[in-house]
């Protein structure tokens, strides 16, 4: 019986790798919300990385997190680096495109607890007296990330954070 179990382990491992290898090599997570505020107000809260401490769901993970800002105050070239506990990790983000009141694209580099290089994008569209705000993150999905996705839904985990951040952004923009 022990030999049977030992023989099954590499077969199961190979099956997991085969299934993961057949999954898409890119991912995209997106959440949207309608906010009863003009695009100008919402755009200012996203385009200025200093303002993220007021609404980002990750800012409260580690009160002792080290933060460093560089580049311009806001818009293209503005950057933010962080280093904190295992929950907060470490990384850097930089605004790579900023179209006033419409779209902000951010190069997002996670360094810890694991390395990943993605793009975050916010789009704002007028919707009557409100603004439709979408927050997306996309990037490559290497094999080990696809293996993890077999057991954990990144869309559900990160999606909850996006929903919380958009809810915070809604509350802040309506003040």
């Amino acid at each position: 019986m022990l030999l049977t179990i030992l023989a099954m382990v590499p077969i199961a491992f190979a099956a997991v790798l085969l299934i993961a290898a057949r999954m898409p090599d890119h991912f995209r997570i997106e959440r949207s919300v309608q906010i009863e505020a003009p695009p100008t107000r919402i755009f200012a809260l996203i385009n200025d990385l200093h303002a993220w401490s007021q609404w980002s769901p990750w800012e409260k993970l580690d009160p002792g997190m080290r933060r460093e800002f560089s580049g311009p105050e806001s818009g293209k070239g503005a950057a933010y680096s962080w280093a904190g506990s295992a929950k907060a990790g470490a990384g850097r983000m930089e605004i790579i495109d900023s179209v006033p009141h419409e779209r902000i694209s951010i190069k997002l580099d996670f360094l810890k607890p694991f390395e990943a290089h993605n793009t975050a994008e916010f789009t704002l569209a007028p919707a009557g007296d409100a603004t439709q705000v979408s927050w997306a993150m996309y990037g490559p999905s290497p094999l080990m990330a696809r293996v993890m996705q077999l057991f954990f839904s990144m869309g559900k985990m990160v999606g909850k954070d996006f929903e919380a951040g958009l809810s915070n952004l809604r509350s802040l923009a309506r003040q």
Side-chain angles (χ1 to χ4, degrees):
M1 184 161 142
L2 182 60
L3 289 175
T4 303
I5 293 172
L6 289 175
M8 301 277 291
V9 170
I11 292 170
F13 184 72
V16 166
L17 287 177
L18 182 62
I19 292 167
R22 296 181 59 130
M23 293 172 66
D25 62 356
H26 280 74
F27 77 93
R28 181 178 180 89
I29 298 166
E30 184 170 352
R31 297 293 187 271
S32 296
V33 68
Q34 191 161 310
I35 299 176
E36 297 76 24
T40 53
R41 171 83 173 122
I42 300 163
F43 183 84
L45 293 169
I46 301 168
N47 197 50
D48 181 352
L49 299 178
H50 297 89
W52 282 49
S53 63
Q54 300 174 63
W55 63 268
S56 172
W58 297 293
E59 284 291 324
K60 295 180 179 36
L61 287 178
D62 179 5
M65 184 167 55
R66 288 178 300 144
R67 298 163 177 87
E68 184 177 314
F69 295 92
S70 60
E73 283 292 311
S74 63
K76 188 174 182 175
Y80 169 70
S81 298
W82 72 92
S85 66
K87 280 186 176 182
R92 182 177 188 276
M93 59 183 183
E94 179 178 344
I95 297 176
I96 55 174
D97 188 34
S98 179
V99 179
H101 321 300
E102 291 179 18
R103 184 182 69 251
I104 299 161
S105 296
I106 299 169
K107 179 182 174 201
L108 186 53
D109 296 313
F110 296 103
L111 305 174
K112 289 180 182 178
F114 56 87
E115 188 171 345
H117 306 283
N118 303 313
T119 301
E121 189 170 76
F122 292 85
T123 55
L124 292 82
D129 291 340
T131 303
Q132 184 71 26
V133 181
S134 295
W135 184 1
M137 182 170 64
Y138 54 89
S141 188
L143 181 60
M144 287 314 294
R146 288 180 270 163
V147 168
M148 288 175 47
Q149 289 174 26
L150 290 173
F151 303 100
F152 305 100
S153 171
M154 194 166 83
K156 285 183 182 177
M157 290 176 9
V158 175
K160 287 180 185 178
D161 290 334
F162 280 16
E163 291 165 9
L166 289 168
S167 178
N168 295 342
L169 190 60
R170 173 193 281 146
S171 296
L172 187 61
R174 292 176 11 187
Q175 290 180 359

